[in-house]
Amino acid sequence: MLVDDAVALVPSIPGRRALLGLAGAPAAGKSTLARRLVAGVNDRLGAGTAAYVPMDGFHLSNAQLDRLRLRDRKGAPETFDVDGYVALLGRLRSERTRPVYAPDFDRRLDEPVAAGLVVPAGTALVVTEGNYLADDGPGWGQVRDLLDELWYVETPRRLRERRLLRRHVRGGRTEAEARAFIASSERLNARRVELTRPFCTRVVSPRDP
């Protein structure tokens, strides 16, 4: 089981924290799997052993996307603060004496939320997930070096796009607007992510926690 493998990553050396990354196309089920892994590790080893920190907290704000004229490409690599994410991973890996605060993403607001998450000092494993963890574009190439393992979450395209349609409609788009955004942006992002599959440690399914 994947939980067994996540438990095995929990380090026994004092002062060291392990980082497990989950990469995959939009709506592949990365966040669902990450939460299940964290819950499974905590059930086995005790509450607070593992924590979940998604990459989505590093979305640029809508104000910045408008300034950069990138609102219609939200979710593309250039619409994230990759340097901030890399810096956070470095802190998560090394800081074990103080809590580490991290931004979250509010889908209802469609905006990042500063310090929405906290990783307590005693946390031994952090599970992080995002589309571009295995990407080699500017800034992104540093992410892999900070992760102990990087798993690729694979899900059929039709299922992913059904999820994306529901997600965007719940977020306020009409069905026509959602379908247009999927066709013009989400598919481009998914194709880029799919090219990074060979750089991951292994390929997993969100149905097998």
Side-chain angles (χ1 to χ4, degrees):
M1 291 177 62
L2 298 182
V3 170
D4 295 329
D5 296 329
V7 167
L9 286 173
V10 175
S12 58
I13 303 172
R16 186 182 184 280
R17 177 181 282 136
L19 270 63
L20 168 61
L22 305 178
K30 301 182 295 297
S31 61
T32 298
L33 177 58
R35 291 187 178 96
R36 288 178 179 172
L37 291 173
V38 167
V41 171
N42 287 336
D43 284 345
R44 301 269 191 93
L45 302 180
T49 301
Y52 169 51
V53 178
M55 186 195 79
D56 273 358
F58 290 89
H59 271 285
L60 296 180
S61 69
N62 289 330
Q64 294 300 329
L65 293 177
D66 288 340
R67 180 182 66 83
L68 296 167
R69 299 181 181 179
L70 288 173
R71 179 77 81 99
D72 63 345
R73 289 289 291 127
K74 188 168 187 171
E78 62 271 23
T79 66
F80 289 89
D81 174 17
V82 61
D83 295 323
Y85 180 57
V86 167
L88 176 67
L89 293 180
R91 289 183 61 208
L92 289 171
R93 192 169 181 83
S94 61
E95 178 58 75
R96 290 293 303 275
T97 61
R98 299 170 58 196
V100 176
Y101 294 92
D104 199 2
F105 187 79
D106 190 322
R107 292 197 181 278
R108 293 170 299 175
L109 298 175
D110 199 32
E111 292 275 16
V113 178
L117 301 170
V118 61
V119 177
T123 299
L125 171 68
V126 170
V127 181
T128 185
E129 53 83 14
N131 297 345
Y132 306 110
L133 272 58
D135 200 272
D136 60 358
W140 295 103
Q142 301 176 65
V143 172
R144 292 201 302 268
D145 293 336
L146 292 166
L147 302 174
D148 290 280
E149 286 200 23
L150 178 54
W151 299 352
Y152 186 88
V153 181
E154 191 160 71
T155 302
R157 182 174 68 86
R158 288 186 179 180
L159 176 56
R160 289 192 289 101
E161 292 198 356
R162 286 200 300 270
R163 291 172 176 170
L164 286 170
L165 182 62
R166 290 196 300 269
R167 178 184 297 176
H168 291 310
V169 169
R170 285 198 302 264
R173 288 186 168 96
T174 65
E175 182 172 334
E177 290 169 340
R179 290 185 183 279
F181 185 73
I182 291 168
S184 65
S185 184
E186 299 280 26
R187 284 178 189 160
L188 292 176
N189 297 338
R191 283 198 288 269
R192 176 163 178 160
V193 174
E194 287 163 358
L195 293 175
T196 70
R197 186 178 185 269
F199 302 122
C200 296
T201 311
R202 63 190 290 189
V203 178
V204 302
S205 167
R207 297 185 300 275
D208 185 25

